[in-house]
Amino acid sequence: MISAFKGILRRILRFASCCIPRDSRGKIIRLPLLAPFYHFVSDEEVPHIKHLFGHRTIDQFKEDMEFFLKYYHPITLNDVLVYARTGNRLSEKSFFLSFDDGLRENYYIIAPILKEMGIPATFFVTTAALDNSDMLYKHKASLLVDHLATLQPKNLAGARSVLAKYGIQNNDSAAGVLSVTYNSRDVLDEIARSFDLDFEEYLAQKRPYLSTSEIKRLISEGFTVGAHSIDHPLYAELSIEEQLRQTKESVNAVTQAFKLNYRTFAFPFSDKGVSKRFFSRVLTENIVDVVFGSRSAFCTDEYFPFSIQRLAMEQPYSADDILRLAETKFILRSITGTAGTRRRE
């Protein structure tokens, strides 16, 4: 029922967004910084991504970038840092581009396109996966689902039996595997062993994540990097001390490894449910200079202006449609006084 209501509301908002001309939106309400972000761009489907979310093909990504360049001008992480530290307004029609998870396609596909188009970007990496030392649990889940899909029908009952042994009762094995949480992620390793799937072998052969040398090359070419936690937990499910540990250790690791003079962090999944206390601690303890969330594009944080919300671009719509919907939502929230990010104490 709730899902159906959200679907209807989304269709209404999409219709409303088409009724407001693009040139008129900025005149109604000044929009905050546009910060689109992606994870992955490729013309191929890869097993560790394909069951998690959709992605842009190379041509689709280029179309997105052409759209942003037509209506906005790109800014660098340094511009954002100055904005976060001083509170000075950025020039209108700016966009800040970033990518999460530190996947190898950042280096081989995305960076060459951005260099050719003259667009700066920041790549946020999970430190446990750096140099393909470990595989993030959500990527393990997708790879495992892909592996289970190759089983013969006669083996599916056995697969469900193994999953049930680890508390996954869903008759849909794929949905069951994808429902495994961060706190129970070790289950994925146990299930993989039951079906002769070797995550370490996959890491060695496919090398899905960026290496230290590749990141250094990206930095030498003018790109910037930041931290994206140690191993990609949902922060709302962690204690505040674990939230701080994940943030501090990953930021320190990235800052030291690449000799950075800035400290920046992007939340894995979302910053929804993260308390004011966390933000106060990272500010007073000088853990970060700026943080990026993804709970709702454009939303501002009246208590913590160094916290910036981004716009998820891996949706089955054009960049224009995604942005229209996000802008319309923000305008409506501004009119109703609900555009600010509300946080628990």
Side-chain angles (χ1 to χ4, degrees), residues 79-98:
D79 294 324
V80 178
L81 287 166
V82 171
Y83 163 73
R85 289 166 179 163
T86 66
N88 293 339
R89 280 189 169 187
L90 292 165
S91 58
E92 290 191 52
K93 298 295 184 179
S94 300
F95 79 97
F96 169 74
L97 184 65
S98 60

Side-chain angles (χ1 to χ4, degrees), residues 42-62:
S42 178
D43 285 341
E44 301 176 1
E45 287 188 329
V46 297
H48 60 280
I49 297 291
K50 65 185 288 187
H51 302 286
L52 300 176
F53 48 77
H55 70 272
R56 291 303 207 236
T57 64
I58 292 173
D59 284 344
Q60 288 171 335
F61 179 69
K62 288 180 178 178

